[in-house]
Amino acid sequence: MPELPEVEITRQGIAPHLLNQTIENIIVRQPNLRWPVPIDSLSQLVGQPIINISRRAKFLLLQTHSGTLLIHLGMSGSLRILPTSTPPQKHDHADILLNNGLCLRYRDPRRFGAILWSGDAIENHRLLAHLGPEPLTRTFHSRYLYQALQNKSQSLKQCLMDNKIVVGVGNIYANEALFLAKLSPFIEGRAIQLEDCEALTKAIKQTLKKAIRAGGTSLKDFTQADGSPGYFRHQLQMYGRENEPCLRCQTIIKKVAQANRATYYCPSCQKP
DNA sequence: CTTTGCACCTGTTGGC
DNA sequence: TGCCAACAGGTGCAAA
């Protein structure tokens, strides 16, 4: 579910309610997420103020003086800010209670997400240490991408979804960005030209920024921190539009499976 | 080292 | 109406 825009929207939504608030308690109802929630480690958070709320790739990072809480939303996760008294519902697996009467509530029906703890420098955490650049920074540019794709035999779409090449681009936005850049999802990474990388980096940045501006894409599970949906779903050009006309040339959009993920493309605009 | 395909889990949808 | 297979926004990991 949540790709970079949805995680960033979540970060922006929760940050004002968390910043400089003290954690009063942590309640874990279901510790079996992707990895076991380290309940013992989390107890040291109690009494600690949250001093920063940031994002790396699709991880949300809540920083305290003694370490950092990592939260990943997996496929179906969402976070909400609620009054502490709000009764939990099914799949509400954890609460972080704050001294302002609010709680940060983690919901994740499929439980592919994670809540982890790092007591050391966060950039050294095993899940973060080998990630590629953030797509919305200057370090992600056409020459970088061109170089990163040089000996890749994988398809271009798979390369875009490879965390070591660039983070945050999931299935929806990979489809959208490739269409915007008029590139085939099926060509090998190493077959790409520098000028294609120029178009592609621009397309990725533009797509992600637009999605953030719209509050993310809500298909099923995702909601913003106040419970409202994101509206980028209405701006999707390709994703979910099998057998509908391409918005650029009216050719019928095709859907195929690529590495067990749905790929939507225009056979005319995105020729190999 | 790179690439591939699976596993993890629940809920929804569509065809019969 | 009911049942069952297919599919869904991610990604680490074992195996090839």
Side-chain angles (χ1 to χ4, degrees):
Chain A
M1 168 254 69
E3 302 182 34
L4 185 147
E6 291 73 38
V7 179
E8 178 60 22
I9 283 295
T10 299
R11 189 193 69 77
Q12 292 176 14
I14 65 175
H17 303 284
L18 302 185
L19 188 60
N20 298 326
Q21 298 299 318
T22 298
I23 296 172
E24 287 198 338
N25 197 7
I26 295 184
I27 298 170
V28 178
R29 300 180 196 85
Q30 168 56 278
N32 299 319
L33 303 183
R34 175 154 196 188
W35 294 282
V37 178
I39 297 172
D40 290 344
S41 301
L42 297 189
S43 62
Q44 68 186 284
L45 279 167
V46 175
Q48 293 267 347
I50 298 172
I51 56 177
N52 195 32
I53 300 99
S54 60
R55 177 187 59 73
R56 174 71 174 113
K58 296 171 188 166
F59 285 93
L60 284 164
L61 308 174
L62 308 192
Q63 190 187 339
T64 73
H65 291 296
S66 65
T68 304
L69 189 71
L70 294 81
I71 301 176
H72 197 291
L73 301 177
M75 284 278 261
S76 59
S78 58
L79 286 169
R80 292 190 64 177
I81 297 285
L82 296 164
T84 300
S85 57
T86 310
Q89 298 179 11
K90 196 175 182 183
H91 306 305
D92 286 346
H93 304 315
D95 289 346
I96 296 173
L97 310 186
L98 306 165
N99 66 337
N100 59 2
L102 298 174
C103 90
L104 178 69
R105 179 161 289 171
Y106 178 91
R107 172 180 301 180
D108 184 5
R110 294 180 71 179
R111 287 191 271 129
F112 288 172
I115 299 176
L116 298 169
W117 170 254
S118 168
D120 296 323
I122 189 63
E123 61 270 17
N124 296 331
H125 192 278
R126 67 179 190 97
L127 294 174
L128 304 186
H130 306 291
L131 294 175
E134 289 286 330
L136 296 180
T137 61
R138 290 179 204 281
T139 57
F140 182 64
H141 52 66
S142 55
R143 291 212 65 86
Y144 162 79
L145 184 60
Y146 183 67
Q147 181 275 328
L149 294 175
Q150 271 321 291
N151 41 15
K152 286 285 169 187
S153 62
Q154 287 175 298
S155 71
L156 184 55
K157 179 173 176 241
Q158 285 177 265
C159 291
L160 289 191
M161 295 174 67
D162 182 344
N163 277 337
K164 291 192 288 298
I165 293 178
V166 61
V167 301
V169 181
N171 201 35
I172 294 178
Y173 299 111
N175 277 296
E176 294 296 307
L178 285 165
F179 172 68
L180 191 58
K182 300 186 183 178
L183 290 170
S184 166
F186 308 113
I187 60 169
E188 291 185 331
R190 59 191 172 199
I192 206 167
Q193 306 297 311
L194 179 58
E195 64 205 71
D196 298 328
C197 291
E198 186 69 37
L200 192 48
T201 51
K202 277 185 183 166
I204 291 169
K205 289 169 192 277
Q206 184 183 329
T207 304
L208 296 176
K209 283 181 187 171
K210 272 191 173 179
I212 292 171
R213 254 179 268 140
T217 302
S218 291
L219 296 179
K220 273 183 100 36
D221 304 291
F222 176 73
T223 62
Q224 304 188 43
D226 62 2
S228 63
Y231 294 102
F232 193 71
R233 182 164 65 90
H234 307 295
Q235 294 181 54
L236 294 175
Q237 310 277 299
M238 293 302 285
Y239 187 85
R241 298 193 61 242
E242 184 186 17
N243 294 330
E244 293 178 39
C246 167
L247 296 173
R248 192 188 282 138
C249 76
Q250 317 306 317
T251 301
I252 298 300
I253 294 170
K254 288 197 171 181
K255 175 189 181 185
V256 297
Q258 236 183 331
N260 291 319
R261 312 304 299 277
T263 294
Y264 300 85
Y265 68 104
C266 171
S268 177
C269 292
Q270 295 172 274
K271 287 191 183 124

